[in-house]
Amino acid sequence: MYQGVIMSGFGGQGIISAGILLAYTGLTEGKHVTFFPAYGAEMRGGTANCSVVISSEEIASPVVAFPDTLIVMNEPSLTKFEPSIRKGGLLLINSSLVSGKSKRDDLNIHYIRANEFAEKLGTIKIANMVMIGAYSRITGAISIEGLRKSLKKVFPRARQDILDMDLEALKKGMETV
Amino acid sequence: MGEKLLMKGNEALAEGAVRAGCRFFSGYPITPQNEVPEYLSWRLPEVGGTFIQAESEVAAINMLYGASACGARVMTSSSGPGISLKQEGISYISGANLPIFYANVMRGGPGLGNIAPAQGDYYQSTRGGGHGDYRVIVLAPNSVSEMGNFPKRCYDLAEKYRMASMVLADGLLGQMMEPIEFDFEPVDPAKLPPKEWALGNAEGRERRIIRSYDLKPGYLEKMTLKLLEKYNKIEEQEVKYEAVQTEDAEILLVAYGTSSRISKEALMLGRKEGIKVGLLRPITLWPFPTKILGELSGRIKKILTVEMSLGQLIDDVKLAVEGKSRVYLHGRPSGGIPTGEEVLEIIKNICSE
């Protein structure tokens, strides 16, 4: 089992947090993991992306040039990374913010209204969790139970009610795909 | 030891240094190594250590000079441009035979450059870097685990030989997260054997002097030849490398740090297609694994160095190979990161020649 994932969106959408949650959950479930953020000039409203590898074998390179899965949280990210997804790969699109459709016909594509779901649950800040929930269900690379346990570890300073909302968002993401 | 943690490379480096007994850090911020001072700014006070954000890199390295002369386990870290500024002090420290540990988390250069991962400071690190005849022991990690565990090795080597020892990493190793397990028990610096040369608390003992020079005619040459004795011993005894599938290899990749991870991917992809690729990863860049490369080059006729620089590592490879193999270069400078697929293409081109 090998999953090279790129998640991309605006700074402030929780791209980096979601990536760390993925990697940490993989680690707790006995997988090899790497996480690499785009770093430096990123800021709220700018672009942010990260690469996560989850694998049952030792990971040689942490560089994800051709992702197996692309999670797109905004329009520019789709344009930027869509061409690089491996044939037969998975493309998850936050259709609340991405109006365009994918140009690829060789992918497994899901359009998820992540912002709307998140807002209904209480805050758009958890749109990232909706996407991670969907990812978990489709690929099985990490489990919902693993994600639930990891929340407290990855966000040690978050209030319990926020963590509860995160879990609801993860579940919502699972249900939609 | 024990628990597997998910850590950022820079934080692993900082935590590793503290566990290895570091109790004094002075530095100045620069991306992509800022998590090192950020982490140490709260972590060192926890263990009774001292963290100083200096007014400049030059001040930082000279504080290190003083603290090391007093026998402390000291550290500084920076990225290329900051390390350039510290070279004057590192040269003085080398002349004065003092043990220090420092890290360079490389970014793209030359000049101000950019903050992307790069390996353009290979010459600077392996050739001393500052003025005069001196060497620095250079360890090149290629994982977060090694980022955390190499500071201990650096302190051990630095104190064994009384000289500077460094970790040469890059922005990718600094910024990425991976599981890490520390492979050593935390060191209590108070329990280390006393340093017979260290300054301070002079009452009741003979005066000690630490300096980087001797002005009596002919004496400096003697001092520097003493350095050579030590360097020769290190070249004999302290070389470390990792050899991957070299036994039957028909083409050998040579790469360190991040480039070695990418090369390993290329190796795995190549092997799947039946291409006999091997990999030699120098772990010590100085002392360089000259002997093993010399041996391998007797049998493997094609060698490809993969580096995130214009062709610096390749010089050491050619010196080791002494013309016995053809040596090729794939160099991506100033923030270019090669991919496994890209390296595999080059391997195929070379093999079909």
Side-chain angles (χ1 to χ4, degrees):
Chain A
M1 174 264 158
Y2 177 97
Q3 268 278 313
V5 183
I6 291 180
M7 185 161 179
S8 181
F10 291 125
Q13 281 185 307
I15 305 295
I16 303 299
S17 304
I20 295 173
L21 181 69
L22 270 186
Y24 185 83
T25 307
L27 169 66
T28 59
E29 297 189 336
K31 303 284 200 315
H32 295 266
V33 295
T34 62
F35 162 86
F36 179 54
Y39 62 90
E42 279 68 21
M43 56 185 160
R44 186 177 295 268
T47 63
N49 72 76
C50 67
S51 308
V52 177
V53 180
I54 305 171
S55 172
S56 50
E57 309 288 319
E58 188 194 326
I59 299 164
S61 172
V63 178
V64 180
F66 307 101
D68 302 290
T69 298
L70 174 65
I71 304 174
V72 159
M73 295 298 285
N74 68 357
E75 195 93 45
S77 301
L78 181 64
T79 323
K80 185 174 176 190
F81 291 109
E82 185 188 24
S84 63
I85 310 167
R86 281 190 199 281
K87 200 167 179 284
L90 174 64
L91 172 56
L92 301 181
I93 295 176
N94 176 11
S95 53
S96 302
L97 291 183
V98 181
S99 51
K101 297 280 170 200
S102 170
K103 293 180 186 72
R104 298 274 300 262
D105 58 4
D106 57 349
L107 302 174
N108 178 12
I109 304 173
H110 293 262
Y111 295 90
I112 300 164
R113 305 194 69 76
N115 281 31
E116 271 106 309
F117 291 136
E119 218 162 358
K120 267 181 211 153
L121 291 169
T123 168
I124 55 164
K125 286 180 189 165
I126 54 177
N128 57 348
M129 295 295 138
V130 176
M131 300 302 274
I132 295 298
Y135 171 80
S136 159
R137 161 63 62 83
I138 297 165
T139 65
I142 34 124
S143 74
I144 183 80
E145 184 51 23
L147 286 165
R148 188 187 66 77
K149 283 192 210 148
S150 300
L151 282 170
K152 188 84 202 162
K153 286 275 189 187
V154 175
F155 310 114
R157 280 174 296 190
R159 291 200 321 260
Q160 190 55 46
D161 57 322
I162 302 288
L163 295 179
D164 293 343
M165 276 205 279
D166 280 334
L167 184 60
E168 287 311 307
L170 287 166
K171 284 180 183 161
K172 186 74 206 170
M174 293 191 81
E175 287 162 15
T176 57
V177 292
Chain B
M1 285 205 264
E3 196 192 354
K4 251 193 183 178
L5 307 161
L6 186 69
M7 279 184 109
K8 209 172 202 191
N10 282 333
E11 291 175 349
L13 183 79
E15 177 60 29
V18 172
R19 290 189 190 211
C22 172
R23 291 297 180 270
F24 182 91
F25 178 98
S26 53
Y28 191 83
I30 184 170
T31 309
Q33 64 81 57
N34 281 326
E35 293 81 2
V36 179
E38 184 188 20
Y39 188 94
L40 291 172
S41 68
W42 61 265
R43 183 71 172 100
L44 272 176
E46 272 188 2
V47 293
T50 301
F51 169 89
I52 299 175
Q53 179 171 322
E55 68 268 38
S56 72
E57 285 86 352
V58 176
I61 193 68
N62 283 294
M63 289 176 192
L64 225 61
Y65 190 174
S68 171
C70 294
R73 284 208 159 173
V74 300
M75 175 188 185
T76 190
S77 66
S78 194
S79 188
I83 296 288
S84 293
L85 293 166
K86 285 171 178 158
Q87 291 298 351
E88 181 191 56
I90 294 166
S91 172
Y92 276 62
I93 287 163
S94 301
N97 288 288
L98 288 174
I100 62 161
F101 164 56
Y102 66 101
N104 178 357
V105 183
M106 288 183 281
R107 61 191 230 163
L112 184 65
N114 59 23
I115 57 172
Q119 295 182 320
D121 304 341
Y122 181 88
Y123 283 155
Q124 186 194 51
S125 310
T126 58
R127 267 64 183 167
H131 59 282
D133 271 316
Y134 74 93
R135 292 285 194 178
V136 169
I137 297 172
V138 187
L139 269 63
N142 82 344
S143 65
V144 171
S145 194
E146 290 187 348
M147 289 286 275
N149 286 308
F150 279 11
K152 167 75 163 49
R153 292 197 195 181
C154 281
Y155 280 119
D156 291 346
L157 289 165
E159 288 180 4
K160 181 174 174 190
Y161 295 102
R162 280 182 64 186
M163 63 185 287
S165 177
M166 72 176 293
V167 156
L168 185 65
D170 62 66
L172 196 145
L173 286 165
Q175 295 296 327
M176 73 184 279
M177 292 177 100
E178 251 182 344
I180 166 170
E181 217 170 322
F182 288 98
D183 64 10
F184 61 92
E185 292 294 340
V187 175
D188 180 354
K191 291 186 182 147
L192 291 169
K195 297 179 170 97
E196 301 302 329
W197 45 264
L199 307 184
N201 307 316
E203 210 178 306
R205 64 154 168 79
E206 222 171 286
R207 189 165 77 132
R208 294 170 184 167
I209 296 173
I210 287 175
R211 61 181 165 201
S212 68
Y213 64 93
D214 195 320
L215 293 179
K216 288 191 286 295
Y219 269 65
L220 185 59
E221 183 177 8
K222 279 184 192 147
M223 277 177 76
T224 310
L225 285 170
K226 277 236 180 265
L227 291 181
L228 178 67
E229 276 175 32
K230 149 166 114 176
Y231 298 160
N232 285 341
K233 202 168 155 194
I234 292 166
E235 285 190 318
E236 268 169 42
Q237 296 184 357
E238 307 296 351
V239 171
K240 293 272 184 299
Y241 61 85
E242 180 192 0
V244 185
Q245 301 195 47
T246 51
E247 301 79 15
D248 64 340
E250 284 163 9
I251 178 166
L252 181 71
L253 307 179
V254 183
Y256 71 95
T258 290
S259 297
S260 69
R261 297 282 295 260
I262 294 157
S263 296
K264 180 117 180 253
E265 189 184 13
L267 178 150
M268 286 156 63
L269 293 169
R271 288 266 168 182
K272 264 186 210 158
E273 295 186 25
I275 308 167
K276 288 182 175 165
V277 188
L279 168 66
L280 187 83
R281 167 171 84 100
I283 294 172
T284 50
L285 299 182
W286 191 85
F288 193 76
T290 304
K291 194 163 158 260
I292 179 73
L293 249 178
E295 287 164 18
L296 289 171
S297 63
R299 187 168 52 73
I300 308 171
K301 291 301 165 199
K302 288 174 174 177
I303 296 180
L304 170 65
T305 73
V306 181
E307 44 186 303
M308 281 144 58
S309 47
L310 273 183
Q312 301 189 23
L313 168 69
I314 193 172
D315 285 5
D316 279 333
V317 173
K318 282 182 173 170
L319 284 169
V321 163
E322 293 185 310
K324 283 178 285 184
S325 312
R326 181 105 193 258
V327 185
Y328 301 80
L329 166 71
H330 184 52
R332 295 277 309 269
S334 306
I337 305 175
T339 65
E341 277 90 352
E342 177 184 321
V343 175
L344 179 63
E345 276 312 300
I346 291 156
I347 291 171
K348 284 180 183 168
N349 289 340
I350 292 170
C351 287
S352 65
E353 262 181 20

